[in-house]
């Protein structure tokens, strides 16, 4: 009997010790990571509007978190899909395959959209907007790696108005990715993730948020006279909503949204809608309440739509950021109450910046112009025909790359190197062109850094044409109204980066960092493996700051 008691006691002690030791050795992580990408947010927007930001939004992140002041994109082109892929993989287009929002398959000549997937169907709408997946992304994401590290106990959810900005950050193994469908006015998903929408998504969609949010039209948040980013409300370089004759407040958008739900994208209320849905996702999936760390990715896309339409120096863009600041303050308070202040990590960055509007620049005697790639290709084809006797050797230009008709080149037994040399000699003297480069010969090309490295990082030979054109600073493809992005220049590639929350005190990093460093830094913070395509480095200053407060890497429970 005594021996039996000793045996039982020994078993109990061994079990208790093992459980206690296991818990003591469990890696300390936050309950929730929230990765926010503000679409088309130039770095200087953090400070351009700072005097009128409240205390709970951007200022809360800046005053309590760690900001990396000199973070740059290190590839070309600086487009939306590429930025989101890079933020959440630490990789570059040459490796991860996301070379643009669209690209030309260099073997078949077919154009592909970055998240297009003909194998999948829409869930939540009768439109084709859900025929999407992350399969075109060739590497894992930080969100995938978290799922792997916790044996898929972690939950991962992506949210955006844009499909690509929800799908690519959420990764291959996400529990769900959701985006806005213009046809139905609903948030939808793809059969890649699920066969039907969760009940909480249906409930959110039934509430008809878009029409409710714009019922009061779009007027300025503050008195119009207090806005400082434009000398007047109506500028010649600003775009117009359908039916408008001048770009002035108030913008009467309620009827437009009833006719086309997608109009909400080009208003500040698209960001409000996104963050309201993010709240619903946190509640619907109980993010931040389980035994393993969860991950929520959010893209605020209306900043991009409004920026494209009105340009950086408009009252509309100023108003969007003042309203987004208030929306963030509300969302962060929600996280405090739901997950607990100090129990979650936020990182905030941007997928790209934006150029100043061309006519705005010209009005102030600063060089700028329209880069007319279509006209260059048309004239190039004429010159190639005269030289080589074959018509339309160039199929198209996309992402500043020239795409050739390879079947025509091969069937006519043309010397491809000779065709490329002729192309470069022709293109480099066209208006608005700084450089034209055969990427196979880039090592010999007289191109300064960092442009040369950015070209290499952005080149995937299966998805990019072999010749790239680099426009002059201030020149871009598009319209005289509004603006766009895509270049190597700092207005497109200098982006905000702030880490905030769990064990991250106030700090400021001034050394140069890159978009590719974001994912490895989060991996190091969570003690998980980096993405399998990552080329970035851990931002040691952020972790050094963290580790001065973090006295040990494990916690007892």
């Amino acid at each position: 009997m005594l021996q039996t008691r000793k045996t039982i006691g020994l078993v109990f002690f061994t079990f208790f010790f093992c459980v206690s030791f296991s818990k003591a050795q469990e890696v300390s992580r936050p309950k929730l990571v929230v990765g926010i990408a503000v679409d088309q947010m130039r770095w200087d927007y953090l400070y351009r509007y700072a005097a009128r930001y409240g205390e709970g939004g951007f200022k809360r992140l800046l005053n309590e978190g760690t900001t990396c002041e000199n973070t740059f994109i290190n590839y070309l082109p600086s487009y939306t899909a590429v930025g989101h892929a890079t933020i959440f993989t630490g990789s570059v287009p040459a490796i991860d395959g996301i070379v643009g929002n669209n690209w030309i398959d260099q073997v078949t000549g077919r154009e592909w959209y970055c998240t297009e997937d003909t194998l999948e169907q829409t869930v939540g709408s009768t439109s084709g907007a859900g025929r999407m997946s992350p399969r075109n992304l060739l590497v894992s994401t930080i969100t995938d790696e978290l799922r792997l590290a916790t044996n898929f106990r972690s939950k991962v959810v992506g949210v955006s108005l844009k499909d690509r900005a929800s799908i690519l950050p959420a990764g291959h193994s996400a529990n769900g990715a959701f985006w806005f469908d213009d046809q139905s006015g609903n948030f939808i998903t793809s059969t890649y993730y699920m066969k039907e929408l969760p009940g909480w998504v249906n409930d959110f969609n039934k509430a008809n948020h878009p029409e409710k949010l714009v019922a009061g039209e779009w007027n300025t948040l503050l008195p119009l006279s207090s806005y400082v980013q434009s000398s007047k409300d109506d500028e010649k370089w600003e775009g117009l909503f359908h039916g408008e004759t001048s770009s002035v407040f108030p913008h009467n958008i309620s009827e437009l949204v009833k006719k086309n739900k997608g109009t909400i994208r080009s208003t500040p209320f698209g960001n409000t809608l996104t963050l309201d849905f993010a709240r619903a996702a946190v509640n619907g999936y109980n993010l931040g309440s389980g035994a393993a760390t969860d991950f929520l990715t959010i893209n605020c896309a209306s900043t991009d739509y409004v920026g494209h339409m009105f340009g950086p120096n408009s009252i509309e863009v100023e108003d969007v950021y003042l309203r987004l600041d208030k929306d963030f303050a509300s969302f962060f308070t929600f996280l405090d109450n739901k997950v607990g202040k100090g129990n979650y990590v936020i990182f905030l960055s941007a997928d790209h910046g934006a150029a100043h509007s061309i006519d705005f620049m010209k009005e102030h005697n600063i060089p700028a112009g329209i880069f007319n790639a279509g006209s260059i290709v048309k004239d190039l084809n004429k010159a190639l025909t005269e030289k080589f006797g074959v018509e339309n050797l160039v199929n198209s230009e996309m992402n500043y790359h020239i795409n050739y008709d390879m079947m025509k080149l091969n069937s006519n037994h043309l010397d491809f190197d000779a065709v490329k040399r002729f192309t470069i000699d022709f293109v480099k003297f066209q208006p608005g062109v700084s450089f034209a480069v055969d990427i196979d010969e880039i090592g010999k090309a007289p191109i300064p850094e960092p442009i040369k490295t950015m070209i290499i990082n952005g080149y995937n030979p299966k998805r990019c044409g072999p010749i790239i054109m680099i426009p002059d600073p201030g020149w871009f493809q598009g319209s005289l109204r509004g603006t766009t992005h895509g270049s190597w220049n700092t207005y497109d590639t200098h982006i905000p980066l702030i880490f905030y929350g769990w064990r991250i005190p106030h700090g400021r990093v001034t050394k140069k960092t890159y978009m590719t460093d974001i994912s490895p830094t989060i991996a190091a913070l969570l003690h998980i493996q980096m993405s399998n395509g990552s080329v970035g480095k851990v931002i040691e200053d952020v972790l050094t700051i963290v580790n001065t407060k973090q006295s040990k890497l494990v916690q007892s429970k």
Side-chain angles (χ1 to χ4, degrees), residues 253-285:
I253 55 175
S254 59
E255 291 301 317
L256 295 177
V257 170
K258 288 179 182 178
K259 295 175 183 177
N260 176 11
K261 306 288 187 184
T263 303
I264 197 171
R265 295 175 183 266
S266 299
T267 77
F269 311 111
N271 290 330
T272 308
L273 177 66
T274 302
L275 290 168
D276 284 348
F277 187 83
R279 279 188 185 85
V282 171
N283 289 327
Y285 280 102

Side-chain angles (χ1 to χ4, degrees), residues 335-365:
L335 292 178
D336 291 342
N337 295 330
K338 180 69 177 180
V339 185
K341 187 174 182 180
N343 289 330
Y344 60 89
V345 166
I346 292 173
F347 66 88
L348 182 146
S349 191
D351 54 347
H352 53 73
H356 292 293
S357 302
I358 290 170
D359 279 346
F360 170 84
M361 295 286 276
K362 288 183 175 180
E363 186 170 297
H364 296 281
N365 301 314

Side-chain angles (χ1 to χ4, degrees), residues 55-67:
E55 296 302 318
F58 287 114
K59 280 187 178 178
R60 175 174 174 178
L61 300 184
L62 287 168
N63 293 337
E64 299 180 32
T66 299
T67 177

Side-chain angles (χ1 to χ4, degrees), residues 125-382:
S125 172
T126 58
S127 76
R131 303 196 69 188
M132 305 285 168
S133 85
R135 288 192 175 103
N136 290 328
L137 178 63
L138 304 179
V139 303
S140 67
T141 60
I142 184 66
T143 45
D144 288 326
E145 295 297 334
L146 179 62
R147 293 269 283 162
L148 289 167
T150 62
N151 197 24
F152 302 95
R153 290 178 296 136
S154 293
K155 290 169 284 188
V156 171
V157 182
V159 175
S160 175
L161 297 180
K162 296 181 178 181
D163 47 35
R164 56 189 180 272
S166 170
I167 292 169
L168 296 172
H172 301 273
S173 62
N175 299 85
F178 303 93
W179 54 95
F180 189 72
D181 174 45
D182 291 351
Q183 178 177 299
S184 63
N186 291 337
F187 277 89
I188 63 171
T189 190
S190 162
T191 50
Y192 178 88
Y193 303 101
M194 60 194 72
K195 299 305 179 185
E196 58 183 24
L197 290 176
W200 66 267
V201 178
N202 287 324
D203 291 342
F204 186 92
N205 288 334
K206 289 174 185 176
N208 195 21
H209 290 278
E211 290 189 22
K212 292 178 181 177
L213 287 169
V214 302
E217 310 297 353
W218 180 13
N219 211 332
T220 52
L221 177 67
L222 302 173
L224 183 63
S225 60
S226 70
Y227 285 69
V228 298
Q229 293 307 312
S230 184
S231 58
K232 58 184 180 182
D233 190 11
D234 186 21
E235 299 283 8
K236 64 181 179 180
W237 54 77
E238 296 180 9
L240 301 170
F241 283 106
H242 180 73
E244 286 186 333
T245 56
S246 60
S247 181
V248 296
F249 283 99
H251 294 291
N252 300 315
I253 55 175
S254 59
E255 291 301 317
L256 295 177
V257 170
K258 288 179 182 178
K259 295 175 183 177
N260 176 11
K261 306 288 187 184
T263 303
I264 197 171
R265 295 175 183 266
S266 299
T267 77
F269 311 111
N271 290 330
T272 308
L273 177 66
T274 302
L275 290 168
D276 284 348
F277 187 83
R279 279 188 185 85
V282 171
N283 289 327
Y285 280 102
N286 291 315
L287 299 180
S289 63
T293 300
D294 297 324
F295 207 126
L296 173 67
T297 75
I298 303 172
N299 165 243
C300 293
S302 288
T303 43
D304 184 64
Y305 291 106
V306 175
H308 276 294
M309 190 170 182
F310 296 99
N313 297 286
S314 63
I315 293 174
E316 284 80 3
V317 166
E318 183 175 358
D319 193 66
V320 163
Y321 276 90
L322 296 181
R323 289 179 179 273
L324 179 61
D325 181 59
K326 289 177 66 68
D327 286 341
F328 276 152
S330 175
F331 184 69
F332 299 158
T333 299
F334 161 77
L335 292 178
D336 291 342
N337 295 330
K338 180 69 177 180
V339 185
K341 187 174 182 180
N343 289 330
Y344 60 89
V345 166
I346 292 173
F347 66 88
L348 182 146
S349 191
D351 54 347
H352 53 73
H356 292 293
S357 302
I358 290 170
D359 279 346
F360 170 84
M361 295 286 276
K362 288 183 175 180
E363 186 170 297
H364 296 281
N365 301 314
I366 302 173
I370 289 289
F371 183 76
N372 195 332
S375 178
I376 291 174
V377 167
K378 182 179 178 181
D379 293 341
L380 172 61
N381 263 329
K382 289 181 181 178

Side-chain angles (χ1 to χ4, degrees), residues 325-451:
D325 181 59
K326 289 177 66 68
D327 286 341
F328 276 152
S330 175
F331 184 69
F332 299 158
T333 299
F334 161 77
L335 292 178
D336 291 342
N337 295 330
K338 180 69 177 180
V339 185
K341 187 174 182 180
N343 289 330
Y344 60 89
V345 166
I346 292 173
F347 66 88
L348 182 146
S349 191
D351 54 347
H352 53 73
H356 292 293
S357 302
I358 290 170
D359 279 346
F360 170 84
M361 295 286 276
K362 288 183 175 180
E363 186 170 297
H364 296 281
N365 301 314
I366 302 173
I370 289 289
F371 183 76
N372 195 332
S375 178
I376 291 174
V377 167
K378 182 179 178 181
D379 293 341
L380 172 61
N381 263 329
K382 289 181 181 178
L384 287 168
T385 299
E386 292 176 4
K387 174 68 174 179
F388 296 99
V390 181
E391 294 184 345
N392 298 321
L393 286 175
V394 174
N395 272 338
S396 63
E397 174 276 337
M398 186 170 288
N399 305 325
Y400 295 102
H401 288 261
I402 291 175
N403 301 293
Y404 293 98
D405 187 329
M406 296 307 298
M407 292 183 64
K408 193 173 288 185
L409 279 161
N410 293 331
S411 63
N412 286 278
H413 306 290
L414 297 180
D415 183 338
F416 191 27
D417 288 334
V419 171
K420 290 192 291 182
R421 285 194 299 270
F422 183 89
T423 297
I424 291 168
D425 290 339
F426 179 89
V427 170
K428 68 184 181 182
F429 291 109
Q430 301 307 304
V433 176
S434 285
F435 305 101
V437 187
D438 178 354
I439 304 177
D440 287 336
E441 301 293 329
I442 196 168
K444 304 174 185 177
I447 301 175
E449 292 289 2
I451 306 173

